[in-house]
PDB file of all heavy atoms in Angstrom:
ATOM      1  N   THR A 131     229.420 140.490 202.861  1.00 91.00           N
ATOM      2  CA  THR A 131     229.636 140.971 201.493  1.00 91.00           C
ATOM      3  C   THR A 131     229.192 139.926 200.478  1.00 91.00           C
ATOM      4  O   THR A 131     228.544 140.247 199.473  1.00 91.00           O
ATOM      5  CB  THR A 131     231.118 141.318 201.280  1.00 91.00           C
ATOM      6  OG1 THR A 131     231.506 142.339 202.205  1.00 91.00           O
ATOM      7  CG2 THR A 131     231.356 141.828 199.862  1.00 91.00           C
ATOM      8  N   ALA A 132     229.544 138.672 200.739  1.00 93.00           N
ATOM      9  CA  ALA A 132     229.159 137.591 199.818  1.00 93.00           C
ATOM     10  C   ALA A 132     227.646 137.411 199.792  1.00 93.00           C
ATOM     11  O   ALA A 132     227.047 137.175 198.728  1.00 93.00           O
ATOM     12  CB  ALA A 132     229.830 136.286 200.235  1.00 93.00           C
ATOM     13  N   VAL A 133     227.004 137.534 200.946  1.00 93.00           N
ATOM     14  CA  VAL A 133     225.546 137.408 201.018  1.00 93.00           C
ATOM     15  C   VAL A 133     224.881 138.546 200.248  1.00 93.00           C
ATOM     16  O   VAL A 133     223.931 138.342 199.488  1.00 93.00           O
ATOM     17  CB  VAL A 133     225.068 137.410 202.484  1.00 93.00           C
ATOM     18  CG1 VAL A 133     223.542 137.416 202.542  1.00 93.00           C
ATOM     19  CG2 VAL A 133     225.607 136.202 203.210  1.00 93.00           C
ATOM     20  N   SER A 134     225.393 139.768 200.431  1.00 92.00           N
ATOM     21  CA  SER A 134     224.841 140.922 199.724  1.00 92.00           C
ATOM     22  C   SER A 134     224.967 140.752 198.211  1.00 92.00           C
ATOM     23  O   SER A 134     224.035 141.059 197.452  1.00 92.00           O
ATOM     24  CB  SER A 134     225.563 142.195 200.163  1.00 92.00           C
ATOM     25  OG  SER A 134     225.087 143.324 199.467  1.00 92.00           O
ATOM     26  N   ALA A 135     226.123 140.235 197.768  1.00 93.00           N
ATOM     27  CA  ALA A 135     226.332 140.006 196.329  1.00 93.00           C
ATOM     28  C   ALA A 135     225.337 138.993 195.782  1.00 93.00           C
ATOM     29  O   ALA A 135     224.789 139.164 194.679  1.00 93.00           O
ATOM     30  CB  ALA A 135     227.762 139.544 196.085  1.00 93.00           C
ATOM     31  N   ALA A 136     225.078 137.936 196.556  1.00 94.00           N
ATOM     32  CA  ALA A 136     224.128 136.906 196.119  1.00 94.00           C
ATOM     33  C   ALA A 136     222.719 137.474 196.007  1.00 94.00           C
ATOM     34  O   ALA A 136     221.973 137.140 195.073  1.00 94.00           O
ATOM     35  CB  ALA A 136     224.152 135.731 197.100  1.00 94.00           C
ATOM     36  N   VAL A 137     222.343 138.346 196.941  1.00 94.00           N
ATOM     37  CA  VAL A 137     221.019 138.968 196.905  1.00 94.00           C
ATOM     38  C   VAL A 137     220.883 139.847 195.669  1.00 94.00           C
ATOM     39  O   VAL A 137     219.852 139.816 194.964  1.00 94.00           O
ATOM     40  CB  VAL A 137     220.772 139.797 198.181  1.00 94.00           C
ATOM     41  CG1 VAL A 137     219.471 140.589 198.060  1.00 94.00           C
ATOM     42  CG2 VAL A 137     220.712 138.896 199.399  1.00 94.00           C
ATOM     43  N   LEU A 138     221.903 140.650 195.386  1.00 95.00           N
ATOM     44  CA  LEU A 138     221.843 141.553 194.230  1.00 95.00           C
ATOM     45  C   LEU A 138     221.852 140.783 192.909  1.00 95.00           C
ATOM     46  O   LEU A 138     221.172 141.163 191.948  1.00 95.00           O
ATOM     47  CB  LEU A 138     223.010 142.541 194.277  1.00 95.00           C
ATOM     48  CG  LEU A 138     222.986 143.527 195.447  1.00 95.00           C
ATOM     49  CD1 LEU A 138     224.212 144.423 195.423  1.00 95.00           C
ATOM     50  CD2 LEU A 138     221.721 144.369 195.426  1.00 95.00           C
ATOM     51  N   GLU A 139     222.604 139.697 192.855  1.00 96.00           N
ATOM     52  CA  GLU A 139     222.589 138.851 191.650  1.00 96.00           C
ATOM     53  C   GLU A 139     221.199 138.265 191.433  1.00 96.00           C
ATOM     54  O   GLU A 139     220.712 138.190 190.287  1.00 96.00           O
ATOM     55  CB  GLU A 139     223.627 137.731 191.787  1.00 96.00           C
ATOM     56  CG  GLU A 139     225.059 138.203 191.673  1.00 96.00           C
ATOM     57  CD  GLU A 139     226.054 137.084 191.914  1.00 96.00           C
ATOM     58  OE1 GLU A 139     225.615 135.928 192.083  1.00 96.00           O
ATOM     59  OE2 GLU A 139     227.267 137.363 191.933  1.00 96.00           O
ATOM     60  N   SER A 140     220.569 137.856 192.516  1.00 96.00           N
ATOM     61  CA  SER A 140     219.209 137.322 192.432  1.00 96.00           C
ATOM     62  C   SER A 140     218.239 138.396 191.946  1.00 96.00           C
ATOM     63  O   SER A 140     217.346 138.126 191.124  1.00 96.00           O
ATOM     64  CB  SER A 140     218.777 136.798 193.799  1.00 96.00           C
ATOM     65  OG  SER A 140     217.429 136.388 193.781  1.00 96.00           O
ATOM     66  N   ALA A 141     218.421 139.631 192.433  1.00 95.00           N
ATOM     67  CA  ALA A 141     217.549 140.730 192.021  1.00 95.00           C
ATOM     68  C   ALA A 141     217.714 141.020 190.531  1.00 95.00           C
ATOM     69  O   ALA A 141     216.729 141.263 189.811  1.00 95.00           O
ATOM     70  CB  ALA A 141     217.868 141.979 192.835  1.00 95.00           C
ATOM     71  N   ALA A 142     218.953 141.010 190.052  1.00 96.00           N
ATOM     72  CA  ALA A 142     219.212 141.273 188.634  1.00 96.00           C
ATOM     73  C   ALA A 142     218.599 140.196 187.748  1.00 96.00           C
ATOM     74  O   ALA A 142     217.997 140.491 186.703  1.00 96.00           O
ATOM     75  CB  ALA A 142     220.716 141.364 188.392  1.00 96.00           C
TER      76      ALA A 142
END
Side-chain angles (χ1 to χ4, degrees):
T131 300
V133 174
S134 178
V137 173
L138 294 178
E139 288 176 5
S140 175

